Amino acid sequence: MTRRYLHFVFDEERATAVIDFIETTCFLTKGKGAGAPIKLRPWQKRIIGELFGWIDPATGYRRYRTLFLGLPRKNGKSHLIACIACVMLFFDNEPGAEVVLAANSKEQSSIVFNAANDMIRFSPILSPLAKRKASTYKIAVEQTSSVLKSIAAEADTALGLNPSCYIYDEYSFCSKPDFHSALSTSQGARMQPLACYITTAGWDFQGVGFKMWQYAREVQKDQSKDPTFLAILYELEPEQDYTDEVNWSRVNPALSDFLTIESLRQVFQQEDPHVFKQYHLNQWTQAPKTWLKVEQWDACADPNFDESTLKSLPCFLAFDLSAVQDITAVTAVWTLPDGRHYLKAYSWLPDYNGRLRDKVTKDHVAYDKWAEQGWLTLIPGMAIDQDYIQAHIEKLAEEFLVKCCGFDPHGATKIVTDLEKTGLVMVKVRPGALTLSQPTKELERAVLSKRIVHDGNPCMSWQVSNVSLAQDRLGNVMPDKDRSTGRIDNVTAAVMALECATRMQPQVKPKAPFRVTVLG
């Protein structure tokens, strides 16, 4: 019986022809059997068959325009990419085919190119047809005016392309959305373009890779969402036991074949659990170098906390001024009667003269949504005016028992002077791990022991997920903006505020202008 979906049909002969082409002309280049024709495993045949077998009978063109394949490491990803590249270069009957192998770095792009180059070089059938230019990462097929090329996610590398097919390796780790946008909009002149994303799970939950992975999950559950998108995900569900070897086999299709259970056991024993989960079970996990886990932070949220009870409790503020076009942060910490701390983050961002959506698209961060929900305040223009921040701090000082306000002196002279004139005690917190290590560690301990309470602010949660720590030779640590994966301004302010709350108990003296206390 012919398989059908909507107006599409599955052409068994076409699927078989592509599989036969691979097994006849594509040769293994590494490991046991190198130099012999590839024999696709049943699971590989299903992927290739699904991708190339479904057609639109009215046009004869392929059904699928996009393949998203989530595959753990050591399951033959590079060879599969090379096989698809060879099909699209030699067997697709596309006039002037242009096959692009895309990667996030030059090193990675060279790996995927070399896999395809070696596969062609080893093939007595394909090799005579191809003119290899390995030094320039290009392979030309002069008979059909076709070309295979490899590019990395760098400026302008995707401009001027007209790919009939591009294959993006490790898309989960894409950090340059503009590069992908240039690729995805470059196929307009092709009648049946194909875009393939073959990747392991990543860690950036705000990035384009995770968003497409989520989309693939939706399509895999309900293909009516996008009948031209082929989603195949080998991933272990969060609730499943990652220590169970039976579950390993469910998400590693090559296990007990060219991936041995002994090698996977060795990785399991030697690697950090989250590294094993990410790379070998295809679970999205937080970056290994980040500080607190999002789940730990979110577990401290109490959206029903009665903030009116804070009015009579000591409050400690700190602010972190941004570069002109990024988040400016104020974080408040209250000491609760039971010894816990209530933490609340306030954030400001320019509205970019009404073009905030451009920054949302560029950063792939939900600034607009957070602004609508009240978690983020938009400031008109292209830069943050410190007067807005000063006015908010003064408002907090009127509403709560603000004992002091911590600050990093860099670029803060005017706002500190003006706030001093209102009678607020300003506490200079010297930047550096020597000063910030103790409150950084205290914040971590407080989160882990749930001695921190907060309102569930998603903007703050995102910033917590971004934090990586810097450590000096003495073991002192502090949040590191340069190493972190995104903005962390409110977290930095929280550390400074906690330093004030735990080590300073200054009394407000309204008539003592220009009084500055120095920490560190």
Side-chain angles (χ1 to χ4, degrees):
M1 180 181 294
T2 302
R3 293 167 59 194
R4 298 180 181 275
Y5 182 76
L6 301 177
H7 61 284
F8 301 107
V9 298
F10 184 78
D11 187 330
E12 187 72 39
E13 290 185 3
R14 181 175 293 200
T16 300
V18 173
I19 292 170
D20 288 346
F21 166 81
I22 293 173
E23 295 192 326
T24 301
T25 67
C26 297
F27 282 61
L28 288 170
T29 63
K30 293 181 180 180
K32 185 178 180 181
I38 283 178
K39 294 300 179 184
L40 295 174
R41 275 51 175 180
W43 65 273
Q44 293 173 323
K45 289 183 180 182
R46 285 194 294 272
I47 294 171
I48 296 296
E50 287 293 299
L51 179 60
F52 292 101
W54 282 95
I55 65 168
D56 181 344
T59 62
Y61 295 145
R62 282 188 300 273
R63 167 188 172 179
Y64 291 113
R65 290 176 171 250
T66 304
L67 165 67
F68 192 93
L69 174 60
L71 193 64
R73 286 189 176 180
K74 304 303 180 182
N75 281 273
K77 176 167 62 70
S78 295
H79 266 79
L80 193 58
I81 289 174
C83 287
I84 295 174
C86 287
V87 171
M88 297 304 294
L89 182 65
F90 294 100
F91 197 67
D92 196 43
N93 296 320
E94 175 75 21
E98 184 176 322
V99 182
V100 174
L101 302 177
N104 296 310
S105 66
K106 286 184 177 180
E107 181 181 6
Q108 187 66 23
S109 66
S110 66
I111 293 174
V112 295
F113 175 81
N114 289 335
N117 181 47
D118 289 346
M119 185 171 287
I120 294 170
R121 181 169 58 87
F122 273 62
S123 172
I125 300 172
L126 301 181
S127 184
L129 303 176
K131 184 177 182 181
R132 295 178 297 278
K133 301 178 180 179
S135 61
T136 58
Y137 297 104
K138 288 184 180 179
I139 298 175
V141 182
E142 296 180 352
Q143 184 177 348
T144 59
S145 300
S146 299
V147 64
L148 181 146
K149 63 181 68 175
S150 178
I151 63 174
E154 297 180 355
D156 301 331
T157 54
L159 299 179
L161 295 177
N162 181 25
S164 51
C165 169
Y166 67 81
I167 305 173
Y168 203 130
D169 185 34
E170 296 295 12
Y171 182 66
S172 291
F173 302 90
C174 174
S175 60
K176 298 182 179 179
D178 292 346
F179 171 73
H180 172 251
S181 296
L183 270 180
S184 63
T185 57
S186 64
Q187 296 183 298
R190 299 293 183 171
M191 298 304 294
Q192 53 171 353
L194 179 62
C196 299
Y197 303 86
I198 303 180
T199 181
T200 53
W203 47 262
D204 183 1
F205 289 88
Q206 300 295 330
V208 292
F210 183 64
K211 287 179 172 57
M212 188 175 287
W213 192 290
Q214 285 184 305
Y215 183 72
R217 287 171 175 166
E218 295 174 3
V219 175
Q220 187 171 248
K221 292 178 181 178
D222 181 6
Q223 58 183 314
S224 67
K225 290 182 178 293
D226 190 343
T228 68
F229 190 105
L230 177 58
I232 302 174
L233 299 176
Y234 290 91
E235 62 174 333
L236 191 67
E237 297 297 329
E239 66 274 8
Q240 293 179 309
D241 183 2
Y242 80 97
T243 68
D244 188 344
E245 293 185 1
V246 173
N247 288 332
W248 298 359
S249 64
R250 291 173 180 168
V251 297
N252 287 277
L255 193 59
S256 300
D257 186 1
F258 52 83
L259 173 62
T260 67
I261 187 65
E262 289 77 14
S263 65
L264 208 54
R265 285 171 181 160
Q266 185 176 16
V267 175
F268 173 75
Q269 293 169 358
Q270 295 177 351
E271 288 284 7
D272 182 276
H274 98 272
V275 173
F276 182 77
K277 290 178 184 179
Q278 178 183 340
Y279 292 129
H280 299 283
L281 301 181
N282 244 11
Q283 288 186 330
W284 279 76
T285 62
Q286 199 168 355
K289 294 183 180 180
T290 54
W291 177 36
L292 291 168
K293 295 186 180 299
V294 176
E295 313 89 75
Q296 295 168 336
W297 175 260
D298 290 345
C300 295
D302 183 1
N304 298 317
F305 186 90
D306 184 2
E307 293 188 356
S308 66
T309 62
L310 300 173
K311 293 184 181 295
S312 60
L313 300 177
C315 176
F316 302 86
L317 303 178
F319 62 80
D320 188 33
L321 301 178
S322 69
V324 292
Q325 294 189 8
D326 282 312
I327 289 176
T328 288
V330 172
T331 302
V333 171
W334 288 265
T335 302
L336 303 180
D338 60 5
R340 295 181 301 162
H341 293 293
Y342 187 79
L343 188 149
K344 191 172 181 68
Y346 305 91
S347 309
W348 292 263
L349 188 72
D351 72 351
Y352 301 90
N353 292 329
R355 297 180 63 85
L356 178 66
R357 189 64 200 172
D358 292 345
K359 185 168 180 63
V360 170
T361 301
K362 180 181 178 181
D363 294 355
H364 293 271
V365 178
Y367 302 120
D368 52 348
K369 182 179 179 181
W370 294 336
E372 291 173 2
Q373 296 173 341
W375 301 112
L376 178 69
T377 300
L378 299 180
I379 304 298
M382 295 296 293
I384 294 290
D385 188 334
Q386 291 185 6
D387 289 345
Y388 286 96
I389 313 307
Q390 179 181 336
H392 187 79
I393 292 175
E394 291 178 4
K395 181 180 178 182
L396 290 174
E398 292 174 1
E399 186 175 357
F400 300 101
L401 297 179
V402 176
K403 297 297 184 180
C404 66
C405 181
F407 68 94
D408 178 339
H410 180 71
T413 302
K414 181 181 183 301
I415 188 172
V416 169
T417 300
D418 291 343
L419 286 171
E420 278 280 21
K421 291 178 180 179
T422 70
L424 186 63
V425 174
M426 302 302 293
V427 177
K428 182 188 294 184
V429 183
R430 295 188 186 278
L434 186 62
T435 300
L436 298 179
S437 184
Q438 190 277 335
T440 298
K441 293 177 179 178
E442 174 57 28
L443 180 56
E444 180 178 7
R445 286 191 292 266
V447 171
L448 296 179
S449 61
K450 294 187 178 181
R451 290 186 288 107
I452 285 287
V453 186
H454 60 81
D455 57 4
N457 182 335
C459 182
M460 181 62 170
S461 181
W462 166 67
Q463 292 181 63
V464 168
S465 75
N466 293 333
V467 177
S468 289
L469 298 182
Q471 181 172 321
D472 66 15
R473 60 185 179 84
L474 299 176
N476 297 309
V477 297
M478 61 174 285
D480 189 333
K481 291 185 178 181
D482 292 334
R483 297 183 185 182
S484 297
T485 59
R487 305 307 306 177
I488 64 170
D489 308 272
N490 277 107
V491 179
T492 301
V495 169
M496 292 193 292
L498 193 61
E499 171 71 347
C500 294
T502 56
R503 311 226 5 222
M504 295 288 297
Q505 292 295 329
Q507 298 298 314
V508 177
K509 295 183 179 180
K511 296 183 180 181
F514 306 106
R515 176 170 176 265
V516 176
T517 303
V518 180
L519 291 182

